[in-house]
Amino acid sequence: MPRSRPARRLLVLATGLASVAVLLALDGLPADLALLTARPAASEAAALTTQPETDFECAVAYVNDGDTLRCKDGTRVRLHAVAAREADETCSPGHPCPAASGASATARLNQLVEGKVLRCEQTGRSFNRVTAVCWTPAHEEVNCAMVRSGTTLVWDSFNRQRPLCRGRVD
């Protein structure tokens, strides 16, 4: 049943008065309570929806092999998009297999990172290891340096996801 014109006016007036009453009530609230009822600004809302920080520091404890190291806090880091021979000089089926020995890759990685605190960007996880691109304190990208040394190869399928050798990152 349609409402009469006077009934609609009364409804609009009542809604308007209720809105004014709510605003006046909020105005009298203590500042902290009023903040709880306010919507966040656009920049605050964006900050709430951003992904968690993926950068971390790694104080190098030791090098496992040509593409894996361990941080002093126990974190195992697998160099993103880098393939080296295993310590037993084998290559896993389906993995890139560099001509250089696993021992030479391990020695080169050790030269690059021994005793240093690296800044790393996590790219994922692999077999209980963090995969990452890492930089020395002198801003040298470790992953790129390993490939350029000839002791490892770029693993193309992972390099397409997050390319190596993108230049200095501070």
Side-chain angles (χ1 to χ4, degrees):
M1 179 179 208
R3 291 191 179 136
S4 66
R5 186 167 270 194
R8 277 186 273 173
R9 285 185 185 160
L10 185 57
L11 180 63
V12 170
L13 180 61
T15 304
L17 288 173
S19 298
V20 170
V22 168
L23 290 174
L24 289 174
L26 285 177
D27 189 44
L29 290 176
D32 292 345
L33 192 54
L35 287 174
L36 291 175
T37 62
R39 292 183 65 183
S43 61
E44 291 171 310
L48 294 173
T49 60
T50 58
Q51 293 188 352
E53 186 63 42
T54 58
D55 287 356
F56 64 97
E57 285 191 348
C58 172
V60 178
Y62 59 89
V63 170
N64 294 62
D65 58 29
D67 57 24
T68 306
L69 55 92
R70 186 174 295 259
C71 307
K72 288 182 180 176
D73 69 2
T75 303
R76 293 175 61 210
V77 177
R78 166 74 166 79
L79 297 180
H80 167 78
V82 173
R85 284 185 176 268
E86 301 300 325
D88 66 1
E89 301 302 333
T90 63
C91 294
S92 298
H95 295 198
C97 190
S101 69
S104 65
T106 302
R108 179 64 185 128
L109 183 55
N110 205 44
Q111 287 174 340
L112 283 167
V113 303
E114 184 177 29
K116 294 181 178 159
V117 176
L118 307 177
R119 189 182 61 75
C120 299
E121 173 191 307
Q122 182 174 344
T123 59
R125 296 196 60 82
S126 172
F127 298 105
N128 295 319
R129 299 173 294 185
V130 172
T131 57
V133 178
C134 297
W135 292 265
T136 67
H139 307 287
E140 181 177 19
E141 183 185 311
V142 175
N143 307 51
C144 186
M146 287 301 295
V147 171
R148 287 185 176 158
S149 75
T151 61
T152 65
L153 295 175
V154 170
W155 197 327
D156 288 328
S157 60
F158 295 105
N159 193 53
R160 280 191 291 276
Q161 295 169 6
R162 195 303 189 177
L164 301 181
C165 308
R166 294 196 317 195
R168 181 174 159 168
V169 177
D170 293 338

